PDB file of all heavy atoms in Angstrom:
ATOM      1  N   THR A   1     -47.859  24.209 117.513  1.00 96.00           N
ATOM      2  CA  THR A   1     -46.768  24.380 118.454  1.00 96.00           C
ATOM      3  C   THR A   1     -47.014  23.398 119.583  1.00 96.00           C
ATOM      4  O   THR A   1     -48.101  23.367 120.165  1.00 96.00           O
ATOM      5  CB  THR A   1     -46.727  25.809 119.027  1.00 96.00           C
ATOM      6  OG1 THR A   1     -46.507  26.719 117.957  1.00 96.00           O
ATOM      7  CG2 THR A   1     -45.619  25.959 120.050  1.00 96.00           C
ATOM      8  N   VAL A   2     -46.017  22.573 119.891  1.00 95.00           N
ATOM      9  CA  VAL A   2     -46.120  21.607 120.971  1.00 95.00           C
ATOM     10  C   VAL A   2     -45.072  21.968 122.012  1.00 95.00           C
ATOM     11  O   VAL A   2     -43.882  22.061 121.702  1.00 95.00           O
ATOM     12  CB  VAL A   2     -45.891  20.163 120.474  1.00 95.00           C
ATOM     13  CG1 VAL A   2     -45.958  19.176 121.635  1.00 95.00           C
ATOM     14  CG2 VAL A   2     -46.893  19.799 119.392  1.00 95.00           C
ATOM     15  N   THR A   3     -45.530  22.208 123.239  1.00 96.00           N
ATOM     16  CA  THR A   3     -44.641  22.494 124.356  1.00 96.00           C
ATOM     17  C   THR A   3     -44.802  21.363 125.354  1.00 96.00           C
ATOM     18  O   THR A   3     -45.907  21.091 125.814  1.00 96.00           O
ATOM     19  CB  THR A   3     -44.983  23.841 125.021  1.00 96.00           C
ATOM     20  OG1 THR A   3     -44.881  24.873 124.032  1.00 96.00           O
ATOM     21  CG2 THR A   3     -44.036  24.154 126.158  1.00 96.00           C
ATOM     22  N   GLY A   4     -43.702  20.694 125.660  1.00 95.00           N
ATOM     23  CA  GLY A   4     -43.737  19.559 126.580  1.00 95.00           C
ATOM     24  C   GLY A   4     -43.105  19.921 127.904  1.00 95.00           C
ATOM     25  O   GLY A   4     -42.108  20.642 127.956  1.00 95.00           O
ATOM     26  N   GLY A   5     -43.705  19.430 128.961  1.00 95.00           N
ATOM     27  CA  GLY A   5     -43.167  19.699 130.280  1.00 95.00           C
ATOM     28  C   GLY A   5     -43.496  18.584 131.250  1.00 95.00           C
ATOM     29  O   GLY A   5     -44.083  17.568 130.884  1.00 95.00           O
ATOM     30  N   LYS A   6     -43.105  18.803 132.497  1.00 96.00           N
ATOM     31  CA  LYS A   6     -43.383  17.838 133.560  1.00 96.00           C
ATOM     32  C   LYS A   6     -43.705  18.611 134.829  1.00 96.00           C
ATOM     33  O   LYS A   6     -43.397  19.801 134.948  1.00 96.00           O
ATOM     34  CB  LYS A   6     -42.191  16.910 133.775  1.00 96.00           C
ATOM     35  CG  LYS A   6     -40.912  17.627 134.231  1.00 96.00           C
ATOM     36  CD  LYS A   6     -39.771  16.661 134.346  1.00 96.00           C
ATOM     37  CE  LYS A   6     -38.502  17.379 134.779  1.00 96.00           C
ATOM     38  NZ  LYS A   6     -37.392  16.435 134.939  1.00 96.00           N
ATOM     39  N   VAL A   7     -44.331  17.936 135.775  1.00 95.00           N
ATOM     40  CA  VAL A   7     -44.683  18.548 137.051  1.00 95.00           C
ATOM     41  C   VAL A   7     -43.723  18.014 138.107  1.00 95.00           C
ATOM     42  O   VAL A   7     -43.588  16.808 138.290  1.00 95.00           O
ATOM     43  CB  VAL A   7     -46.144  18.228 137.440  1.00 95.00           C
ATOM     44  CG1 VAL A   7     -46.469  18.810 138.810  1.00 95.00           C
ATOM     45  CG2 VAL A   7     -47.102  18.761 136.382  1.00 95.00           C
ATOM     46  N   VAL A   8     -43.036  18.953 138.776  1.00 93.00           N
ATOM     47  CA  VAL A   8     -42.104  18.603 139.842  1.00 93.00           C
ATOM     48  C   VAL A   8     -42.458  19.457 141.055  1.00 93.00           C
ATOM     49  O   VAL A   8     -42.506  20.683 140.955  1.00 93.00           O
ATOM     50  CB  VAL A   8     -40.636  18.862 139.420  1.00 93.00           C
ATOM     51  CG1 VAL A   8     -39.677  18.573 140.572  1.00 93.00           C
ATOM     52  CG2 VAL A   8     -40.263  18.045 138.203  1.00 93.00           C
ATOM     53  N   GLY A   9     -42.714  18.825 142.163  1.00 93.00           N
ATOM     54  CA  GLY A   9     -43.058  19.554 143.378  1.00 93.00           C
ATOM     55  C   GLY A   9     -44.291  20.422 143.208  1.00 93.00           C
ATOM     56  O   GLY A   9     -44.380  21.502 143.782  1.00 93.00           O
ATOM     57  N   GLY A  10     -45.229  19.970 142.382  1.00 94.00           N
ATOM     58  CA  GLY A  10     -46.463  20.714 142.172  1.00 94.00           C
ATOM     59  C   GLY A  10     -46.349  21.853 141.175  1.00 94.00           C
ATOM     60  O   GLY A  10     -47.332  22.523 140.882  1.00 94.00           O
ATOM     61  N   LYS A  11     -45.152  22.079 140.617  1.00 96.00           N
ATOM     62  CA  LYS A  11     -44.953  23.157 139.647  1.00 96.00           C
ATOM     63  C   LYS A  11     -44.588  22.582 138.284  1.00 96.00           C
ATOM     64  O   LYS A  11     -43.811  21.641 138.182  1.00 96.00           O
ATOM     65  CB  LYS A  11     -43.854  24.104 140.118  1.00 96.00           C
ATOM     66  CG  LYS A  11     -44.221  24.809 141.397  1.00 96.00           C
ATOM     67  CD  LYS A  11     -43.221  25.896 141.718  1.00 96.00           C
ATOM     68  CE  LYS A  11     -43.642  26.516 143.032  1.00 96.00           C
ATOM     69  NZ  LYS A  11     -43.447  27.909 143.065  1.00 96.00           N
ATOM     70  N   GLU A  12     -45.151  23.195 137.245  1.00 96.00           N
ATOM     71  CA  GLU A  12     -44.874  22.747 135.884  1.00 96.00           C
ATOM     72  C   GLU A  12     -43.538  23.313 135.400  1.00 96.00           C
ATOM     73  O   GLU A  12     -43.270  24.499 135.543  1.00 96.00           O
ATOM     74  CB  GLU A  12     -45.998  23.204 134.953  1.00 96.00           C
ATOM     75  CG  GLU A  12     -45.872  22.659 133.561  1.00 96.00           C
ATOM     76  CD  GLU A  12     -47.028  23.052 132.667  1.00 96.00           C
ATOM     77  OE1 GLU A  12     -48.170  23.183 133.170  1.00 96.00           O
ATOM     78  OE2 GLU A  12     -46.783  23.243 131.465  1.00 96.00           O
ATOM     79  N   ILE A  13     -42.711  22.429 134.846  1.00 97.00           N
ATOM     80  CA  ILE A  13     -41.416  22.821 134.290  1.00 97.00           C
ATOM     81  C   ILE A  13     -41.446  22.503 132.802  1.00 97.00           C
ATOM     82  O   ILE A  13     -41.699  21.363 132.404  1.00 97.00           O
ATOM     83  CB  ILE A  13     -40.264  22.047 134.956  1.00 97.00           C
ATOM     84  CG1 ILE A  13     -40.215  22.372 136.448  1.00 97.00           C
ATOM     85  CG2 ILE A  13     -38.931  22.371 134.291  1.00 97.00           C
ATOM     86  CD1 ILE A  13     -39.241  21.508 137.212  1.00 97.00           C
ATOM     87  N   VAL A  14     -41.185  23.502 131.967  1.00 97.00           N
ATOM     88  CA  VAL A  14     -41.162  23.311 130.513  1.00 97.00           C
ATOM     89  C   VAL A  14     -39.844  22.643 130.134  1.00 97.00           C
ATOM     90  O   VAL A  14     -38.770  23.095 130.509  1.00 97.00           O
ATOM     91  CB  VAL A  14     -41.325  24.660 129.775  1.00 97.00           C
ATOM     92  CG1 VAL A  14     -41.132  24.469 128.269  1.00 97.00           C
ATOM     93  CG2 VAL A  14     -42.690  25.261 130.070  1.00 97.00           C
ATOM     94  N   MET A  15     -39.960  21.547 129.354  1.00 95.00           N
ATOM     95  CA  MET A  15     -38.779  20.814 128.906  1.00 95.00           C
ATOM     96  C   MET A  15     -38.356  21.225 127.496  1.00 95.00           C
ATOM     97  O   MET A  15     -37.198  21.089 127.137  1.00 95.00           O
ATOM     98  CB  MET A  15     -39.066  19.312 128.928  1.00 95.00           C
ATOM     99  CG  MET A  15     -39.415  18.773 130.304  1.00 95.00           C
ATOM    100  SD  MET A  15     -38.040  18.869 131.451  1.00 95.00           S
ATOM    101  CE  MET A  15     -36.992  17.614 130.771  1.00 95.00           C
ATOM    102  N   GLY A  16     -39.299  21.716 126.697  1.00 96.00           N
ATOM    103  CA  GLY A  16     -38.957  22.132 125.350  1.00 96.00           C
ATOM    104  C   GLY A  16     -40.197  22.408 124.534  1.00 96.00           C
ATOM    105  O   GLY A  16     -41.312  22.074 124.923  1.00 96.00           O
ATOM    106  N   SER A  17     -39.978  23.054 123.403  1.00 96.00           N
ATOM    107  CA  SER A  17     -41.085  23.425 122.537  1.00 96.00           C
ATOM    108  C   SER A  17     -40.633  23.304 121.093  1.00 96.00           C
ATOM    109  O   SER A  17     -39.456  23.497 120.785  1.00 96.00           O
ATOM    110  CB  SER A  17     -41.500  24.868 122.838  1.00 96.00           C
ATOM    111  OG  SER A  17     -42.637  25.216 122.103  1.00 96.00           O
ATOM    112  N   GLY A  18     -41.574  22.995 120.232  1.00 95.00           N
ATOM    113  CA  GLY A  18     -41.224  22.874 118.823  1.00 95.00           C
ATOM    114  C   GLY A  18     -42.438  23.002 117.938  1.00 95.00           C
ATOM    115  O   GLY A  18     -43.583  22.902 118.376  1.00 95.00           O
ATOM    116  N   GLU A  19     -42.180  23.222 116.663  1.00 94.00           N
ATOM    117  CA  GLU A  19     -43.234  23.323 115.660  1.00 94.00           C
ATOM    118  C   GLU A  19     -43.400  21.954 115.015  1.00 94.00           C
ATOM    119  O   GLU A  19     -42.426  21.321 114.629  1.00 94.00           O
ATOM    120  CB  GLU A  19     -42.827  24.352 114.608  1.00 94.00           C
ATOM    121  CG  GLU A  19     -43.889  24.630 113.588  1.00 94.00           C
ATOM    122  CD  GLU A  19     -43.474  25.740 112.643  1.00 94.00           C
ATOM    123  OE1 GLU A  19     -43.452  26.908 113.066  1.00 94.00           O
ATOM    124  OE2 GLU A  19     -43.152  25.419 111.490  1.00 94.00           O
ATOM    125  N   TRP A  20     -44.654  21.514 114.941  1.00 90.00           N
ATOM    126  CA  TRP A  20     -44.951  20.201 114.387  1.00 90.00           C
ATOM    127  C   TRP A  20     -45.967  20.352 113.273  1.00 90.00           C
ATOM    128  O   TRP A  20     -46.863  21.184 113.347  1.00 90.00           O
ATOM    129  CB  TRP A  20     -45.548  19.300 115.463  1.00 90.00           C
ATOM    130  CG  TRP A  20     -44.624  19.045 116.601  1.00 90.00           C
ATOM    131  CD1 TRP A  20     -44.203  19.950 117.536  1.00 90.00           C
ATOM    132  CD2 TRP A  20     -43.998  17.822 116.933  1.00 90.00           C
ATOM    133  NE1 TRP A  20     -43.366  19.362 118.427  1.00 90.00           N
ATOM    134  CE2 TRP A  20     -43.217  18.060 118.092  1.00 90.00           C
ATOM    135  CE3 TRP A  20     -44.034  16.553 116.382  1.00 90.00           C
ATOM    136  CZ2 TRP A  20     -42.469  17.048 118.689  1.00 90.00           C
ATOM    137  CZ3 TRP A  20     -43.293  15.552 116.978  1.00 90.00           C
ATOM    138  CH2 TRP A  20     -42.518  15.803 118.115  1.00 90.00           C
ATOM    139  N   ARG A  21     -45.850  19.528 112.272  1.00 84.00           N
ATOM    140  CA  ARG A  21     -46.837  19.509 111.192  1.00 84.00           C
ATOM    141  C   ARG A  21     -47.776  18.350 111.451  1.00 84.00           C
ATOM    142  O   ARG A  21     -47.345  17.212 111.650  1.00 84.00           O
ATOM    143  CB  ARG A  21     -46.157  19.324 109.851  1.00 84.00           C
ATOM    144  CG  ARG A  21     -47.163  19.319 108.727  1.00 84.00           C
ATOM    145  CD  ARG A  21     -46.482  19.382 107.409  1.00 84.00           C
ATOM    146  NE  ARG A  21     -47.503  19.303 106.381  1.00 84.00           N
ATOM    147  CZ  ARG A  21     -47.241  19.265 105.119  1.00 84.00           C
ATOM    148  NH1 ARG A  21     -45.995  19.330 104.708  1.00 84.00           N
ATOM    149  NH2 ARG A  21     -48.218  19.186 104.248  1.00 84.00           N
ATOM    150  N   TYR A  22     -49.060  18.620 111.460  1.00 77.00           N
ATOM    151  CA  TYR A  22     -50.048  17.599 111.763  1.00 77.00           C
ATOM    152  C   TYR A  22     -50.442  16.881 110.476  1.00 77.00           C
ATOM    153  O   TYR A  22     -50.959  17.487 109.557  1.00 77.00           O
ATOM    154  CB  TYR A  22     -51.289  18.229 112.405  1.00 77.00           C
ATOM    155  CG  TYR A  22     -52.307  17.217 112.793  1.00 77.00           C
ATOM    156  CD1 TYR A  22     -52.104  16.423 113.910  1.00 77.00           C
ATOM    157  CD2 TYR A  22     -53.435  17.011 112.030  1.00 77.00           C
ATOM    158  CE1 TYR A  22     -53.021  15.460 114.269  1.00 77.00           C
ATOM    159  CE2 TYR A  22     -54.364  16.042 112.378  1.00 77.00           C
ATOM    160  CZ  TYR A  22     -54.147  15.270 113.498  1.00 77.00           C
ATOM    161  OH  TYR A  22     -55.060  14.310 113.836  1.00 77.00           O
ATOM    162  N   ASP A  23     -50.147  15.601 110.432  1.00 74.00           N
ATOM    163  CA  ASP A  23     -50.552  14.835 109.251  1.00 74.00           C
ATOM    164  C   ASP A  23     -51.017  13.430 109.622  1.00 74.00           C
ATOM    165  O   ASP A  23     -51.088  12.561 108.785  1.00 74.00           O
ATOM    166  CB  ASP A  23     -49.445  14.801 108.202  1.00 74.00           C
ATOM    167  CG  ASP A  23     -48.269  13.968 108.631  1.00 74.00           C
ATOM    168  OD1 ASP A  23     -48.245  13.503 109.779  1.00 74.00           O
ATOM    169  OD2 ASP A  23     -47.372  13.762 107.810  1.00 74.00           O
ATOM    170  N   ARG A  24     -51.325  13.200 110.864  1.00 76.00           N
ATOM    171  CA  ARG A  24     -51.932  11.968 111.346  1.00 76.00           C
ATOM    172  C   ARG A  24     -51.020  10.744 111.312  1.00 76.00           C
ATOM    173  O   ARG A  24     -51.505   9.622 111.321  1.00 76.00           O
ATOM    174  CB  ARG A  24     -53.241  11.676 110.597  1.00 76.00           C
ATOM    175  CG  ARG A  24     -54.297  12.761 110.792  1.00 76.00           C
ATOM    176  CD  ARG A  24     -55.539  12.392 110.096  1.00 76.00           C
ATOM    177  NE  ARG A  24     -56.100  13.136 109.006  1.00 76.00           N
ATOM    178  CZ  ARG A  24     -55.683  14.174 108.363  1.00 76.00           C
ATOM    179  NH1 ARG A  24     -54.552  14.704 108.644  1.00 76.00           N
ATOM    180  NH2 ARG A  24     -56.375  14.711 107.407  1.00 76.00           N
ATOM    181  N   GLY A  25     -49.753  10.901 111.298  1.00 83.00           N
ATOM    182  CA  GLY A  25     -48.827   9.775 111.343  1.00 83.00           C
ATOM    183  C   GLY A  25     -48.217   9.634 112.727  1.00 83.00           C
ATOM    184  O   GLY A  25     -48.397  10.492 113.580  1.00 83.00           O
ATOM    185  N   VAL A  26     -47.485   8.544 112.945  1.00 88.00           N
ATOM    186  CA  VAL A  26     -46.817   8.304 114.221  1.00 88.00           C
ATOM    187  C   VAL A  26     -45.329   8.115 113.964  1.00 88.00           C
ATOM    188  O   VAL A  26     -44.938   7.292 113.135  1.00 88.00           O
ATOM    189  CB  VAL A  26     -47.376   7.047 114.927  1.00 88.00           C
ATOM    190  CG1 VAL A  26     -46.593   6.752 116.197  1.00 88.00           C
ATOM    191  CG2 VAL A  26     -48.847   7.231 115.242  1.00 88.00           C
ATOM    192  N   ILE A  27     -44.526   8.881 114.676  1.00 84.00           N
ATOM    193  CA  ILE A  27     -43.079   8.749 114.576  1.00 84.00           C
ATOM    194  C   ILE A  27     -42.581   8.141 115.873  1.00 84.00           C
ATOM    195  O   ILE A  27     -42.914   8.618 116.957  1.00 84.00           O
ATOM    196  CB  ILE A  27     -42.409  10.121 114.353  1.00 84.00           C
ATOM    197  CG1 ILE A  27     -42.861  10.697 113.019  1.00 84.00           C
ATOM    198  CG2 ILE A  27     -40.890   9.994 114.419  1.00 84.00           C
ATOM    199  CD1 ILE A  27     -42.420  12.107 112.780  1.00 84.00           C
ATOM    200  N   THR A  28     -41.805   7.077 115.753  1.00 91.00           N
ATOM    201  CA  THR A  28     -41.201   6.442 116.913  1.00 91.00           C
ATOM    202  C   THR A  28     -39.698   6.444 116.701  1.00 91.00           C
ATOM    203  O   THR A  28     -39.223   6.015 115.649  1.00 91.00           O
ATOM    204  CB  THR A  28     -41.711   4.989 117.060  1.00 91.00           C
ATOM    205  OG1 THR A  28     -43.133   5.004 117.131  1.00 91.00           O
ATOM    206  CG2 THR A  28     -41.155   4.338 118.307  1.00 91.00           C
ATOM    207  N   LEU A  29     -38.962   6.942 117.696  1.00 88.00           N
ATOM    208  CA  LEU A  29     -37.512   6.994 117.606  1.00 88.00           C
ATOM    209  C   LEU A  29     -36.891   6.210 118.750  1.00 88.00           C
ATOM    210  O   LEU A  29     -37.375   6.266 119.877  1.00 88.00           O
ATOM    211  CB  LEU A  29     -37.021   8.446 117.683  1.00 88.00           C
ATOM    212  CG  LEU A  29     -37.468   9.379 116.569  1.00 88.00           C
ATOM    213  CD1 LEU A  29     -37.003  10.793 116.857  1.00 88.00           C
ATOM    214  CD2 LEU A  29     -36.954   8.904 115.228  1.00 88.00           C
ATOM    215  N   LYS A  30     -35.805   5.513 118.460  1.00 92.00           N
ATOM    216  CA  LYS A  30     -35.053   4.790 119.476  1.00 92.00           C
ATOM    217  C   LYS A  30     -33.629   5.334 119.456  1.00 92.00           C
ATOM    218  O   LYS A  30     -32.979   5.347 118.404  1.00 92.00           O
ATOM    219  CB  LYS A  30     -35.052   3.287 119.186  1.00 92.00           C
ATOM    220  CG  LYS A  30     -34.258   2.514 120.197  1.00 92.00           C
ATOM    221  CD  LYS A  30     -34.251   1.037 119.865  1.00 92.00           C
ATOM    222  CE  LYS A  30     -33.363   0.290 120.831  1.00 92.00           C
ATOM    223  NZ  LYS A  30     -33.206  -1.103 120.462  1.00 92.00           N
ATOM    224  N   ILE A  31     -33.167   5.773 120.598  1.00 90.00           N
ATOM    225  CA  ILE A  31     -31.824   6.334 120.710  1.00 90.00           C
ATOM    226  C   ILE A  31     -30.906   5.265 121.289  1.00 90.00           C
ATOM    227  O   ILE A  31     -31.197   4.676 122.325  1.00 90.00           O
ATOM    228  CB  ILE A  31     -31.830   7.575 121.617  1.00 90.00           C
ATOM    229  CG1 ILE A  31     -32.788   8.623 121.041  1.00 90.00           C
ATOM    230  CG2 ILE A  31     -30.422   8.141 121.777  1.00 90.00           C
ATOM    231  CD1 ILE A  31     -33.109   9.746 121.985  1.00 90.00           C
ATOM    232  N   ASP A  32     -29.787   5.024 120.591  1.00 92.00           N
ATOM    233  CA  ASP A  32     -28.819   4.031 121.027  1.00 92.00           C
ATOM    234  C   ASP A  32     -27.431   4.611 120.828  1.00 92.00           C
ATOM    235  O   ASP A  32     -26.885   4.570 119.713  1.00 92.00           O
ATOM    236  CB  ASP A  32     -29.004   2.733 120.237  1.00 92.00           C
ATOM    237  CG  ASP A  32     -28.060   1.627 120.692  1.00 92.00           C
ATOM    238  OD1 ASP A  32     -27.449   1.756 121.770  1.00 92.00           O
ATOM    239  OD2 ASP A  32     -27.945   0.623 119.959  1.00 92.00           O
ATOM    240  N   GLY A  33     -26.884   5.181 121.880  1.00 91.00           N
ATOM    241  CA  GLY A  33     -25.563   5.794 121.792  1.00 91.00           C
ATOM    242  C   GLY A  33     -25.546   6.952 120.822  1.00 91.00           C
ATOM    243  O   GLY A  33     -26.234   7.945 121.022  1.00 91.00           O
TER     244      GLY A  33
END
């Protein structure tokens, strides 16, 4: 389970969470429109 967040004003804000399968690869995505 990977939960990503950021720190704003000294407080952690959760941006989202998801289930990931660990297999040692790298996924790179580019969003264009």
Side-chain angles (χ1 to χ4, degrees):
T1 298
V2 178
T3 301
K6 62 183 179 178
V7 177
V8 177
K11 296 189 182 218
E12 186 177 327
I13 298 172
V14 173
M15 299 294 289
S17 185
E19 185 175 288
W20 298 69
R21 181 170 177 184
Y22 183 75
D23 70 354
R24 298 182 243 4
V26 175
I27 296 172
T28 304
L29 297 175
K30 179 181 176 186
I31 301 167
D32 183 14

